[in-house]
Amino acid sequence: MPPNEPIEVRLSKKLSWLLRHGAKKEGIPIQADGFVNVSDLANHPRFKCFTLEKLQQMTASDAKQRYTLRWNQEKSIHEIRANQGHSLAVLEGDSEEMPALASEKTQLRASEKPQLRDGCTDAKLTWDQNPVLCMVCAAPFRSTKDCLAHELLKHANKPQKQLRQRLNAITKLFTSAQTQSERSELQDVLEQSATGGHLRTVLDFYASDLKKLESCFGHVRNCIEKEMQDRVKVFPFGSLVTGLSLKGSDIDLYLQPCDEQNIFHNQLYNRVSHFLRRSKCFTEVFTIRHARVPIIRCKHQLTGLSIDINMSNPNSTYNSRFVCELIARDERLRELCLFLKIWAKKLKLISHGSLTSYCLISMILVSLQVHKLLPPIKQLQSLCPPINVFGINYAFCFQLVPPIPRALETLDLIKEFFEYFSSVEFEKYVLSPFLGCALDKETTMGTPGGFPEYEDQLESMENAVGEAPEPFQLDRCMCVQDPFELQHNVAKGVSPTNLAYFRQCLRLAAQACNNQDLLQNPAKLYDFLLFGLADKLVADSKSVKATPAKQKKKEIVILEKTKTLESETKSELVSTLNTPPIVRSHVITPSTNDLKYLRSGDLGIKINENKTIFYYWLTCYVDTIKDVLTKIYGMEIKLKESQEPCRYHWLISTNLDTWTGRSFQRSAGQSFFAHQIQQTIEFEKLRRGNAAYEVSAKGIFSLLASEDYKEIRLNIQPLPGDLLGLQRNSPLTKFFKALKNLLINYSFKEKASFWKFGQMDSKNVEPNETS
């Protein structure tokens, strides 16, 4: 695709390609941890634009934090690396164990029910017993008490407040007079439906008038082509082509220049924008230049229909043609796609920060493929010659595809969709219509050679366009691959909150489709899926929302006599919700990047066969926390009890607040640790003698690790007789919150780089004197 982005965007893409994929190809030395010497970049004839000043500007202004720019004190040079998305083999650590195949974990037979998640209080609990659903992962439980205990145990650090705000918005929407009137009207027409015609009634109730859309498109096309003096051709795509448009749907258009050599995309964009603004046929013209695909949005004056015009990306026209031909093969497929689109629209699952209609269609393709009702796109392309557009093959052939069995009804296909996706762990897998299954992120997309067709397409796109495309965004909470454009994550805009909400909707919909009472009364079933489901979500959220406001924080509250949360029963945990906190806890677990860095060999670890990599991760963290307490916060610590390396109890004390108002912003040429030490020195000079910062903070600080070294729990507990204790504004509470914040901002790679790892024992793991 010819470049049409601002120069800063193009430079960022160029730098991303180089640091993630192209350094070796360009002859630029790259270290095992991915860092490249800035001087090597600036001296390369193709990358002279990347001076130190330019790289500092790019890293500082990059909202997505794609790069890390550092000063290497040992080599006295500046270095830069991409934070993720590498395909170079030298950047990959060894895998400790091989996960099970995605197909073995995710594919379900049509007759299977989704399994309950870990933590459910009754393994025999089934979907038709109306369980209470977890507000985060939607796991079913028999009672609100058990569900709340599960949330505190498993999701103490999840942003549940945002999810409840989401549900509050849904409440207002579904309790509005307009929605209730719409529901009543739909119930009336459903009651009058003939036997077996209820789904058709729902579709007719919400589907738009295609003839009106086609008439509007004809008028708009003639108007634009005439005004542009036949220099462009207008092609529709989206719901107008697929026939899946609903009432209020917009019209999507692609403008193709007839002579691409004489007009650039930005020139065409400006010319069309100017024409629309002065035309009497269009109103409310709005340009969106910096989107992934720049568009112009306007409204057709005569019909009031919204129109989106794009003139730089024809890919959507090919996608729409594929969906159109697919659903034309079987009316049940059209009904499936149209109903699920209505369902998602009604529940506001298709919106900003959530799914798109095309993402939903891609998920429907995967559902059909895992149930063996549709071949993978890869197989469809093997039956015909390629159709390459900017390096992407949009060819397909349905001639040899067997028809869907007659015994299956549309409702069966809807049920299979809900049941399949209600059991998928979206954070772990990439849903790929191209291969027809769910792929493990680490072993396929995240590993060189794990998905050869994807890597071949990246190379093909680079050769066609002359610029490396941005790789697939694996760092999102939900990953759904475009059926043809394999490096495009069509679910990249889904936020964690909306994913949690989507999960709940899937669970409740799957439950409804297995409820015999609803199945025997289709009118009630469709009413529940479109309206009643939201009522149940709101009712469940209110029952779980009984937690006092002060307890809904990223903290775990336990009793003094309880040493670990695991030893406490769920019923005991719930009973403590009305008890003032006596101990506050914070849990730390190793990330994949932590373990990769330890395995990289930079630290010189000589692994003992009897010690796992988690042992060394734990040892590093223990020494890190000691240094944070003593060097950064200037506390006096006295060891009260220890059982190395898993258990420590320290008596901590200080009379100066050195944690309030700390800055965690990193600066070039200075490590995070050094920056924090510098602030401590300044605080001790300025705050000592200032009554506003004088405190008497004393308590018991505990570090408890699991037997497998895969989890660390930090506890803070006041001394007997401390009247302030762990109240909201007490010094200990403020200190502990600041400590958690600091540990989150302090990357493990920097922690580990300050330690010299010896042979095998924790005694040989000493802090580096130069730190």
Side-chain angles (χ1 to χ4, degrees):
M1 189 185 306
N4 54 69
E5 304 98 342
I7 184 64
E8 298 299 330
V9 176
R10 295 173 60 188
L11 285 176
S12 180
K13 289 184 177 181
K14 189 174 184 179
L15 182 62
S16 295
W17 172 83
L18 176 69
L19 297 178
R20 293 170 175 171
H21 316 288
K24 295 180 69 176
K25 179 180 178 181
E26 297 294 337
I28 297 177
I30 184 168
Q31 302 174 28
D33 56 1
F35 277 98
V36 170
N37 188 346
V38 170
S39 298
D40 291 339
L41 285 183
N43 293 331
H44 194 283
R46 290 189 58 194
F47 305 105
K48 290 183 178 180
C49 57
F50 294 122
T51 62
L52 176 61
E53 293 75 14
K54 186 62 179 178
L55 293 175
Q56 289 175 334
Q57 178 185 352
M58 292 176 66
T59 53
S61 61
D62 186 16
K64 295 184 178 180
Q65 298 183 348
R66 297 181 180 92
Y67 317 107
T68 296
L69 181 66
R70 73 180 185 185
W71 170 253
N72 190 323
Q73 295 181 352
E74 295 181 359
K75 299 180 180 179
S76 298
I77 59 173
H78 281 94
E79 298 175 331
I80 189 170
R81 69 156 287 165
N83 291 329
Q84 60 189 9
H86 303 95
S87 65
L88 296 175
V90 296
L91 302 177
E92 300 297 327
D94 297 328
S95 178
E96 183 179 13
E97 58 182 10
M98 181 65 68
L101 293 176
S103 58
E104 296 176 0
K105 288 187 174 183
T106 59
Q107 292 190 15
L108 297 174
R109 297 189 183 95
S111 60
E112 290 180 335
K113 297 287 193 300
Q115 299 297 315
L116 300 177
R117 291 174 178 262
D118 294 338
C120 183
T121 58
D122 190 346
K124 297 181 180 180
L125 189 63
T126 59
W127 285 103
D128 55 358
Q129 292 178 313
N130 297 322
V132 178
L133 299 180
C134 169
M135 294 297 295
V136 178
C137 68
F141 293 90
R142 185 172 295 282
S143 67
T144 301
K145 178 195 290 186
D146 293 332
C147 180
L148 183 57
H150 162 81
E151 285 190 19
L152 290 172
L153 283 169
K154 299 294 184 180
H155 308 299
N157 294 325
K158 298 292 182 178
Q160 299 182 36
K161 182 177 180 181
Q162 295 181 11
L163 180 56
R164 289 191 171 89
Q165 291 175 344
R166 183 82 167 89
L167 293 176
N168 289 338
I170 294 296
T171 302
K172 293 181 180 179
L173 173 67
F174 277 83
T175 56
S176 65
Q178 180 179 356
T179 302
Q180 291 300 315
S181 175
E182 177 187 327
R183 182 178 188 180
S184 177
E185 185 179 351
L186 178 61
Q187 288 174 341
D188 291 340
V189 294
L190 283 173
E191 290 178 359
Q192 300 173 10
S193 296
T195 302
H198 295 87
L199 177 59
R200 171 61 58 184
T201 299
V202 172
L203 301 183
D204 292 342
F205 187 83
Y206 286 105
S208 65
D209 187 345
L210 287 178
K211 292 183 179 181
K212 178 181 177 181
L213 287 178
E214 291 172 355
S215 175
C216 177
F217 164 70
H219 178 80
V220 172
R221 178 186 57 193
N222 294 336
C223 184
I224 294 177
E225 291 182 350
K226 180 179 179 181
E227 177 65 26
M228 300 298 295
Q229 300 177 355
D230 293 327
R231 294 182 179 179
V232 298
K233 290 184 178 180
V234 181
F235 297 95
F237 65 93
S239 59
L240 177 60
V241 175
T242 62
L244 300 177
S245 61
L246 306 179
K247 294 177 180 177
S249 293
D250 55 9
I251 297 178
D252 298 305
L253 304 178
Y254 168 67
L255 271 58
Q256 182 184 54
C258 296
D259 188 357
E260 295 188 3
Q261 300 298 324
N262 297 327
I263 187 169
F264 294 100
H265 291 284
N266 57 344
Q267 295 175 336
L268 178 60
Y269 190 95
N270 293 333
R271 189 174 300 178
V272 173
S273 173
H274 178 68
F275 149 64
L276 293 172
R277 293 182 187 280
R278 60 184 177 83
S279 173
K280 296 181 179 180
C281 298
F282 304 97
T283 184
E284 300 180 21
V285 180
F286 183 68
T287 57
I288 306 177
R289 294 178 179 270
H290 301 297
R292 177 178 177 270
V293 178
I295 64 172
I296 301 176
R297 182 163 292 168
C298 61
K299 184 171 289 188
H300 188 234
Q301 187 80 287
L302 182 62
T303 60
L305 293 173
S306 297
I307 301 173
D308 287 348
I309 302 175
N310 121 61
M311 52 217 75
S312 60
N313 189 349
N315 299 12
S316 298
T317 60
Y318 295 93
N319 296 333
S320 300
R321 183 171 64 87
F322 168 76
V323 176
C324 177
E325 293 192 24
L326 172 66
I327 63 178
R329 298 181 66 249
D330 196 308
E331 179 63 16
R332 289 169 293 181
L333 293 180
R334 192 189 80 86
E335 293 177 345
L336 168 69
C337 296
L338 191 55
F339 175 79
L340 289 177
K341 184 176 180 180
I342 295 170
W343 175 78
K345 287 273 190 180
K346 294 307 300 176
L347 291 169
K348 298 302 178 183
L349 293 168
I350 295 178
S351 63
H352 177 71
S354 193
L355 304 177
T356 63
S357 297
Y358 186 58
C359 176
L360 180 66
I361 296 297
S362 301
M363 294 177 66
I364 294 173
L365 296 179
V366 175
S367 175
L368 294 170
Q369 289 163 340
V370 298
H371 291 100
K372 308 302 181 183
L373 301 176
L374 178 69
I377 303 298
K378 178 181 178 180
Q379 182 176 336
L380 297 179
Q381 291 187 336
S382 66
L383 304 174
C384 56
I387 300 176
N388 288 315
V389 181
F390 297 134
I392 302 171
N393 182 13
Y394 285 98
F396 59 88
C397 179
F398 290 119
Q399 289 183 358
L400 301 181
V401 177
I404 297 176
R406 293 184 180 181
L408 286 176
E409 298 181 354
T410 305
L411 183 57
D412 296 322
L413 303 180
I414 295 172
K415 176 182 175 182
E416 288 176 350
F417 175 89
F418 289 139
E419 288 187 343
Y420 174 70
F421 286 111
S422 62
S423 64
V424 170
E425 297 183 64
F426 292 101
E427 296 86 353
K428 295 183 179 180
Y429 299 107
V430 176
L431 301 171
S432 174
F434 181 80
L435 296 180
C437 63
L439 305 174
D440 185 275
K441 285 185 178 181
E442 297 297 329
T443 59
T444 52
M445 302 290 288
T447 304
F451 195 161
E453 295 86 359
Y454 159 69
E455 296 170 7
D456 291 344
Q457 188 180 98
L458 288 180
E459 184 177 355
S460 176
M461 292 175 68
E462 182 182 359
N463 294 334
V465 179
E467 187 174 4
E470 185 175 356
F472 190 92
Q473 294 175 312
L474 280 173
D475 58 335
R476 304 307 171 95
C477 63
M478 185 173 177
C479 295
V480 180
Q481 192 177 48
D482 187 290
F484 301 96
E485 194 175 350
L486 304 184
Q487 46 76 239
H488 183 204
N489 181 4
V490 295
K492 65 180 181 180
V494 179
S495 68
T497 300
N498 285 329
L499 175 58
Y501 172 62
F502 181 40
R503 275 191 171 123
Q504 292 188 65
C505 293
L506 290 169
R507 292 275 182 168
L508 287 176
Q511 175 183 318
C513 289
N514 284 277
N515 188 305
Q516 293 302 317
D517 293 337
L518 292 177
L519 290 175
Q520 293 174 5
N521 192 336
K524 288 186 177 181
L525 172 62
Y526 292 116
D527 174 71
F528 176 84
L529 290 175
L530 299 178
F531 294 95
L533 191 151
D535 291 340
K536 183 167 178 55
L537 276 174
V538 172
D540 288 348
S541 69
K542 289 181 178 179
S543 64
V544 178
K545 202 175 177 179
T547 309
K550 291 184 179 181
Q551 304 297 337
K552 297 188 297 180
K553 296 185 178 181
K554 297 181 181 180
E555 299 171 324
I556 303 173
V557 180
I558 59 178
L559 294 176
E560 181 180 10
K561 60 184 179 182
T562 307
K563 292 184 178 180
T564 62
L565 272 175
E566 288 74 14
S567 64
E568 203 173 36
T569 63
K570 293 179 180 179
S571 59
E572 288 174 338
L573 179 62
V574 176
S575 67
T576 67
L577 290 177
N578 295 321
T579 305
I582 299 177
V583 176
R584 294 188 186 271
S585 296
H586 176 59
V587 176
I588 305 172
T589 56
S591 69
T592 303
N593 288 333
D594 294 351
L595 302 180
K596 278 186 177 181
Y597 185 70
L598 285 175
R599 296 191 188 100
S600 65
D602 290 350
L603 304 179
I605 301 179
K606 297 180 180 179
I607 300 295
N608 185 343
E609 294 181 357
N610 298 324
K611 305 287 187 182
T612 67
I613 195 71
F614 299 100
Y615 169 84
Y616 296 94
W617 172 83
L618 168 64
T619 307
C620 178
Y621 245 108
V622 170
D623 284 332
T624 297
I625 291 170
K626 289 180 184 177
D627 269 11
V628 169
L629 292 175
T630 57
K631 296 181 180 180
I632 293 183
Y633 287 121
M635 287 194 163
E636 296 181 6
I637 65 172
K638 181 179 180 182
L639 185 63
K640 302 289 290 184
E641 178 186 349
S642 69
Q643 185 178 349
E644 297 184 356
C646 296
R647 187 181 183 87
Y648 299 89
H649 293 284
W650 293 292
L651 174 64
I652 62 173
S653 62
T654 185
N655 56 12
L656 182 66
D657 178 355
T658 60
W659 47 83
T660 302
R662 279 188 178 268
S663 169
F664 300 123
Q665 186 173 1
R666 294 165 174 79
S667 58
Q670 188 179 40
S671 68
F672 181 83
F673 187 88
H675 178 54
Q676 297 303 314
I677 291 292
Q678 181 180 350
Q679 290 186 82
T680 300
I681 295 173
E682 295 175 357
F683 288 162
E684 288 181 343
K685 290 180 180 179
L686 299 175
R687 295 182 178 183
R688 197 168 296 280
N690 188 335
Y693 295 100
E694 290 183 355
V695 296
S696 179
K698 297 181 179 180
I700 300 295
F701 186 90
S702 303
L703 187 152
L704 308 172
S706 60
E707 294 182 358
D708 57 3
Y709 312 127
K710 294 183 179 180
E711 179 181 285
I712 301 175
R713 184 181 300 278
L714 306 180
N715 291 339
I716 186 71
Q717 178 181 352
L719 296 177
D722 188 345
L723 298 180
L724 291 178
L726 292 176
Q727 295 183 20
R728 182 175 183 180
N729 295 317
S730 69
L732 279 182
T733 299
K734 291 182 177 180
F735 153 72
F736 196 62
K737 290 181 178 179
L739 173 66
K740 292 189 294 183
N741 198 13
L742 185 143
L743 292 176
I744 290 172
N745 283 275
Y746 192 3
S747 71
F748 179 81
K749 182 179 293 186
E750 185 174 337
K751 295 183 185 75
S753 65
F754 286 121
W755 271 264
K756 292 180 180 178
F757 284 80
Q759 298 294 324
M760 285 76 71
D761 300 328
S762 61
K763 295 179 181 179
N764 292 328
V765 184
E766 299 289 347
N768 190 339
E769 295 298 331
T770 61
S771 65

